[in-house]
Structures are given as C-alpha cells and as structure tokens.
Amino acid sequence: MSVILFEKMPEGDLRVIEERTWSMNMITALEHVNYIVVSGREFEAVEGRLNVDEGKLELLLVPMRVEG
C-alpha cells in the first residue's frame, strides 16, 4: 500500500516528507509503535487517515526535539 508521510511544521503547515509503498507487515507494525525514523530523523506518529479515494494511507508526524 502507498503511504504518505506528512510532517506538521511549527507554523501548522503540512509538508510531505515522502511517499512510498509499504509492506503489510510495516503497516501492521503501526499498531505497536508511536515513533517512526525517516532519513535519520525521529517523528511521533500522531494521526493516520486512510484515503480511500486515492488508495493511500496518510500519516501525520511531529518531529521529536533534538537535545543539543
């Protein structure tokens, strides 16, 4: 299934991080995880939406703060 990852920006805007095909195992794993690592960055998955019209799963992600 095609999955679109959206990053919620501090201003409230949404930015597409990526879109790629996920296996059913990866999608099933979403039931057990709260955090996703993409391109070396960690995000919290806060919401998901199944877009039936486009046949895509859309995930809303919030970046985790990097302590420095």
Side-chain angles (χ1 to χ4, degrees):
M1 173 177 274
S2 184
V3 177
I4 304 174
L5 302 178
F6 290 96
E7 177 180 0
K8 185 169 184 180
M9 306 302 287
E11 308 81 31
D13 297 334
L14 299 180
R15 179 179 74 89
V16 174
I17 299 172
E18 72 171 27
E19 179 177 349
R20 73 165 83 166
T21 301
W22 284 21
S23 70
M24 287 309 296
N25 286 339
M26 290 175 70
I27 292 170
T28 300
L30 288 172
E31 296 178 27
H32 306 286
V33 300
N34 296 318
Y35 300 92
I36 296 174
V37 177
V38 182
S39 300
R41 295 179 62 206
E42 186 174 32
F43 297 90
E44 181 177 8
V46 294
E47 192 171 327
R49 177 173 81 166
L50 181 61
N51 186 329
V52 177
D53 292 336
E54 295 186 20
K56 297 179 181 182
L57 177 61
E58 302 170 350
L59 298 177
L60 180 61
L61 308 177
V62 174
M64 299 303 299
R65 295 184 190 268
V66 177
E67 301 294 328

